[in-house]
Amino acid sequence: MSHPSSQDSTVYLDIAHRIGQRIASQGQWQGEACGWQIMAPDPTGQSRDSVPQPATGLLYQGTAGIAWFLAQVAAVTDDDTLRRTAAGGLRHALNTAEQLPEASFGLHSGRLGIAWVAAHLAALLDEPAWREAAWTVLQPCLGKASQDHSLDVIGGAAGAIPALLEMRSLLRRDEPLQLARDLGEHLLTQAHMEPDGWSWATLPRASYRNLAGLAHGAAGIGLALLELALASGDGRYRFAAEMAFLYERNCYDPERENWPDWRNMPLSEMYQFGRIDLLKDLLRQDKAPQYRHHCMTAWCHGSPGVGLSRLRAWELTGQEQYLQEAQQAMRSTAQSLTPQALEHSNFSLCHGALGNCELLLHGASMLQDDQLLARCRQVADHGVATWETTGRPWPSGTLDGQSDASLLLGEAGVGNFYLRLAAPSTPSPLLLRPSHDGQARLPTNGFSSLATASADAFFLRSRQRWQRLSDGAFSWPQTQPSDELPLQEAPSQRAYGAFLSFLEHVEDSRRQLYEDAWIVERRAYEAQDKIEDFTQESLRALIRPSWQDLSLDHCTFRLAADAQLVTTQYAWPKDVSAEDGIVDADFPPGAQETAYLLLRLHQRLQARPLGRFAAAILGELENGAALQDLIRTIAEAVGTDDPATITPTVLQQLGQLYAVGFIDASQPEA
């Protein structure tokens, strides 16, 4: 075969067609269903090799994804063999869907993705029965949005929402939109409200921070919420989307023109392959796997996926900042596609060169940029010359690069890329673009109220106290949506600034009162802003012995890591808001020292009021203390000459504090 001209799209179609024929010839038929062998990670976890396994029915590396590609090629080439094989692959996927959990919301790794493929192929191949089959697969998901634990594009709500918006019209039913809204509400409840934006714990035990990126991070979740805002007319989803993009904006690494991959990869692999005992041994030796700052350039993590989310956000909103961020992403993505880089790249869609090209392909179309298209064709020409014309298997995204037939990791994805070069109207499995006919502008309703709630998550009691102390003079500016710009600052950051600004004008005689009224929430906010390594809480829990297993006389007790004591000089009531019908006639309160513990629980610092005895113990443990030293100190503090009289009380209190994680204990190695 001759080397393709960059102008000859028919050559690219021929490549896609031949890949489709090759995949079809590898199909393994059982009756009317067709399956394939794929290369999956060694299930024993003893090696990093891929081993052949029968494909599941999933979109990512299963028969739904292969069927989707074959059907797209068949529709363009009118190849009956590919059409028949696509139908066989879909039947296999539909058969396996019955065994998937009912709350399996993954577009790429769940039953929802199989339903999405069936709905598309019903229209593409003129098979109306598959529309009903898609509904049958989807129906068990209804009412189970709160059971989605993945949340991301690959496995959860972020991938499900745009697919459901497409299926609403494909299936001609309203239930998919309601399920999309249910999943949107679930994403709102699961958001981690951080000082610099919103993020989600999609890899809670093994990520240094909550992830950025399209497949597993804030980019994919933010984009899903933005699509839902347009589809539903609910501005709360728009606010959450802007907060997700704000989080990533604050993660951006300008030197690399990329977004960090926050996964702690050694730790992630130990969890993935079940090496928990080895991990515990390393922790006991104080050799926990350390995160190393790095960026990945792939659809799943890094600039190609983030760039796709921003291109689509620009398309939906017209806001130039999203285009600027997409252009930043396209620059670093283009650098990953030089001839030298391609020599060491796989050609998968998920984390290979062709997935990176997807951003440039979308950019070329949306911006009418011939240079971006030329770069994609250069990659395509390199791939044909290096792999297709030589008969060598295309390097896939499997662990050891062994080729298979799948969509996100293998040759179906390669074929998908060439097909999109030849026929740009072919939809991409990497960026769903549901239609929003009739919705001219992004909604604003609910935007400001959710912004206020976002600030109140950090400062509600302080705001209420200061408003009463100032007879209503204190307030912070409302956060309003803008047609020109997405949010540049989180509402909590604006609130923090408003507190500091107002305090500058408080009379000296009352300043201490105002400072005391917000000291707990202020300290919590400032400490939250400094939390970085999110893995520490789960790692400590892995080797934390039970209270019964501790040798108490040999332990050193200390305040838990990431915990701190805060003391107020006044006995502030819990609620002081007149709008709630709770008004204290003696406000402001009288002087009475009150202790609080700020403790990190699930990546968020929370304030817990303490009784006097617990506060006394925790105060002594800020620098650590042995049990007998602690008992003697507490005995002196309460004025008893016989420490034995308070020992049972101290032990009981220590046990309770240890059980809830307020204190840690260390003991010498045996």
Side-chain angles (χ1 to χ4, degrees), residues 58-81:
L58 303 177
L59 180 68
Y60 187 87
Q61 200 184 4
T63 55
I66 297 170
W68 189 88
F69 163 64
L70 294 178
Q72 302 295 333
V73 180
V76 176
T77 62
D78 198 27
D79 187 321
D80 285 338
T81 298

Side-chain angles (χ1 to χ4, degrees), residues 15 25 77 84 89 100 109 145 168 177 211 217 266 285 294 296 343 348 372-373 390 422 483 493 511 571 595 617:
I15 298 296
S25 70
T77 62
R84 185 177 71 87
L100 293 172
S109 63
R168 182 192 186 192
L177 175 58
L211 300 180
Q285 299 172 45
H294 67 285
M296 186 174 178
E343 294 297 330
S348 73
L372 293 176
L373 182 59
T390 62
D483 289 336
Q493 291 174 314
R511 184 170 292 123
I617 290 177

Side-chain angles (χ1 to χ4, degrees), residues 506-568:
V506 172
E507 296 177 0
D508 291 345
S509 61
R510 290 175 61 81
R511 184 170 292 123
Q512 195 274 336
L513 186 65
Y514 276 86
E515 289 178 337
D516 197 69
W518 83 306
I519 185 62
V520 175
E521 289 183 328
R522 175 179 181 170
R523 290 274 293 276
Y525 179 84
E526 292 171 346
Q528 181 74 34
D529 198 30
K530 294 180 174 63
I531 292 179
E532 290 187 339
D533 189 347
F534 286 9
T535 65
Q536 292 306 305
E537 186 178 358
S538 60
L539 289 178
R540 285 195 298 268
L542 275 178
I543 58 172
R544 198 170 196 264
S546 68
W547 178 253
Q548 291 74 20
D549 291 336
L550 293 174
S551 178
L552 299 180
D553 288 336
H554 299 92
C555 284
T556 298
F557 297 96
R558 66 181 65 250
L559 202 60
D562 297 325
Q564 56 179 294
L565 286 171
V566 182
T567 302
T568 63

Side-chain angles (χ1 to χ4, degrees), residues 29 32-34 84 86-96 127 130:
W29 289 86
E32 294 297 311
C34 185
R84 185 177 71 87
L90 179 58
R91 291 190 192 97
H92 176 278
L94 291 170
N95 291 340
T96 65
E127 292 283 354
W130 288 342

